[in-house]
Amino acid sequence: MQINARQLYFILEHTPAAQNIMLVGKHGIGKSRILEEYYSARGQKVVTLFLGQMSDPGDLIGLPHLDEKTGRTEFMLPYWFPTDGKPVVLFLDELNRARPEVLQTVMDLTLNRKLAGKALPQGSRIISAVNGGSEYQLTELDPALVSRFNIYEFAPSVEDWLSWAEEAGLDSRIIGFISENPEYLDSDTAAGDYDGLSRSPDRRSWERTSEVIKDFTLLSNEELPLVSGIIGDQAAALFFRFVNDRALPSAKAILCGEGLSSDATASKLSALSVSQLCLLNESLFHFIEGSVGSAGESGAGAEFQKKLVKNFEDYFDFISKNTAKEVSAHFISLCSAQNTPNTLNFISENSPSLYKKLLNAVSEM
C-alpha cells in the first residue's frame, strides 16, 4: 500500500522508537527532507548516513585502535555517534546500495541498536530509505535484514508537494506549471530510452530550477539550456512555453484596452525579449484577423474600430522606437502573411498613417 506525506507523519508519530521503519520510493521525492523537518520540529537530531557511499564497515563503525591501558583493540567512535546520551534518529539512506560487508554491520545495528559494542542512546530510532526500480544499481537485501523493518512504499502526492512548495517559497511559476501539469512533477524516462545520463524532472530538480530562475523575471532562449540541464529538454520547453504565454500581455488588452497609454503596459513590453515580442506581434494580427473576419469589414462598431486602429498604430510606433529592429521587421512581414489576409486590408482602409509608415519602413529595409 502506498502512503502519502500525511500518512507518513501519522506513522512516524505512532511507531515506537524500538521499531525500525523502511521507506521505499523513487529518488528525489523528499524522504530525507520530510524526516529532517518532522524530527527537527520536535527537538530530535537526525543523523543521515549515505550507506551507498561507504567503502567498508569502518566508515560506519569507526576505525580500530589499541587501548594501551587494557591492551585491547577497540573501535574509535565515528564522527556521527552521539556522545551526549541524547537519542537520535539515525537515517540510513541508500540502504540497498550499500556493500554487503556494510550491510552486515547494519544487521547488528537494527537488531540491538549497537555498533562495535557501543549502544545508541535509549530512545534512538532507525529509519532507512531504499530505491526501487530496474533503473538503479542495487544490492539485494538479506531477508533477515528486511524482516527487521516496518516497510512502507512512500509516494507523496502532487498536492503534498504543492503545499510544501508554497510554504518553502518556490518560484510561483513552477507551482503554477505543476498545478496544471502534475504529470511533470515526477516524469520517468522510459526504460528503453534511458542511457544513464538522460534528464527528466523530479521534485528535487524543480527545487533546483526554482533557485536558478529566481533572478529572471522573463525566461528566454538564453536561459533554456540552463534549465534543460536540470529538468530535461521536453519539460524545460513546455515550462518555458507555459511561463511565456502568461508573461505576454493579451492582444485584447493592448488593442481594446488602454493600449500603450498605460505605463504598466509599456513597461511590460519593454521587458519582453525579441522572441516574445514576435509572438505578441502574431497574437495582435490574429486578433484583428478574427475581429474583422467575424464582424465584417466595418468591424464590431465605430468606437471599437477607432480604438483598435489607434492602439494598433501606437503599438507599431512603440516597437519601432523602443525595441530591436527584428521586432518591427517581423511585424511588417506579417502584413503579407497568407493566414492574415484581412489585416492588411483593415490597415490600408482604416489607418492610412500606419499604412504609410509600413511602406516607408519596407523601403528602408
Side-chain angles (χ1 to χ4, degrees), residues 2 23-32 93 97 129-133 135-136 153-156 183-189 200-204:
Q2 291 185 343
L23 301 179
V24 182
K26 290 179 53 180
H27 66 279
I29 59 175
K31 297 186 290 291
S32 57
D93 204 1
R97 294 190 180 205
V130 301
N131 297 129
E135 68 268 32
Y136 302 108
E153 184 179 356
F154 182 49
E183 68 274 16
Y184 279 93
L185 178 57
D186 300 295
S187 181
D188 292 319
T189 301
S200 59
D202 58 39
R203 299 165 194 238
R204 190 182 296 153

Side-chain angles (χ1 to χ4, degrees), residues 26-342:
K26 290 179 53 180
H27 66 279
I29 59 175
K31 297 186 290 291
S32 57
R33 174 183 55 76
I34 287 178
L35 292 175
E36 180 72 36
E37 291 177 354
Y38 178 86
Y39 286 110
S40 294
R42 288 155 178 77
Q44 292 183 267
K45 182 180 179 180
V46 178
V47 177
T48 301
L49 300 177
F50 295 97
L51 300 189
Q53 299 176 10
M54 295 183 175
S55 58
D56 61 59
D59 293 335
L60 181 61
I61 64 177
L63 298 177
H65 77 108
L66 178 64
D67 188 326
E68 295 181 356
K69 293 182 179 181
T70 63
R72 296 179 177 180
T73 298
E74 294 185 356
F75 283 88
M76 300 175 62
L77 291 175
Y79 73 94
W80 58 266
F81 200 93
T83 57
D84 56 5
K86 295 181 180 179
V88 298
V89 178
L90 193 57
F91 180 46
L92 306 178
D93 204 1
E94 303 178 340
L95 182 67
N96 58 343
R97 294 190 180 205
R99 293 173 178 269
E101 54 269 31
V102 173
L103 289 176
Q104 290 301 316
T105 304
V106 173
M107 293 278 280
D108 187 34
L109 179 64
T110 55
L111 181 63
N112 301 312
R113 294 293 196 276
K114 290 183 178 181
L115 276 178
K118 299 291 193 302
L120 291 175
Q122 187 70 26
S124 293
R125 295 176 176 270
I126 296 178
I127 301 176
S128 71
V130 301
N131 297 129
S134 59
E135 68 268 32
Y136 302 108
Q137 296 179 353
L138 305 175
T139 303
E140 186 175 354
L141 297 178
D142 190 309
L145 175 60
V146 173
S147 69
R148 298 175 186 181
F149 288 90
N150 302 341
I151 302 175
Y152 304 98
E153 184 179 356
F154 182 49
S157 67
V158 174
E159 290 71 24
D160 289 335
W161 186 87
L162 289 172
S163 297
W164 169 82
E166 289 279 4
E167 294 177 6
L170 263 63
D171 193 289
S172 60
R173 293 169 292 186
I174 291 177
I175 295 173
F177 176 75
I178 297 300
S179 295
E180 295 190 21
N181 303 274
E183 68 274 16
Y184 279 93
L185 178 57
D186 300 295
S187 181
D188 292 319
T189 301
D193 298 331
Y194 187 70
D195 60 7
L197 294 175
S198 301
R199 286 298 302 138
S200 59
D202 58 39
R203 299 165 194 238
R204 190 182 296 153
S205 65
W206 283 116
E207 189 174 352
R208 296 202 303 271
T209 300
S210 177
E211 179 68 19
V212 302
I213 68 172
K214 64 181 181 181
D215 295 326
F216 298 104
T217 303
L218 297 170
L219 298 177
S220 67
N221 288 335
E222 187 174 355
E223 292 82 42
L224 184 58
L226 173 67
V227 176
S228 293
I230 305 174
I231 58 175
D233 294 345
Q234 182 181 15
L238 289 173
F239 174 60
F240 271 51
R241 186 183 305 167
F242 172 89
V243 170
N244 291 330
D245 284 350
R246 285 154 179 77
L248 299 178
S250 70
K252 185 175 182 180
I254 291 177
L255 295 175
C256 304
E258 297 180 39
L260 273 298
S261 61
S262 167
D263 292 337
T265 302
S267 177
K268 194 167 187 178
L269 290 182
S270 298
L272 297 178
S273 65
V274 170
S275 59
Q276 289 174 317
L277 286 166
C278 289
L279 285 174
L280 184 56
N281 286 346
E282 295 175 5
S283 180
L284 297 183
F285 270 77
H286 287 304
F287 182 86
I288 291 179
E289 191 72 17
S291 299
V292 173
S294 62
E297 294 184 0
S298 61
E303 287 301 318
F304 171 85
Q305 185 170 289
K306 183 178 179 180
K307 177 176 286 189
L308 204 65
V309 169
K310 179 183 183 303
N311 287 339
F312 198 44
E313 185 169 355
D314 286 349
Y315 174 81
F316 179 75
D317 289 342
F318 178 87
I319 62 173
S320 299
K321 298 174 183 177
N322 300 286
T323 67
K325 292 182 179 179
E326 294 90 336
V327 179
S328 52
H330 178 261
F331 183 99
I332 294 168
S333 70
L334 292 174
C335 292
S336 58
Q338 294 182 354
N339 59 343
T340 56
N342 296 320

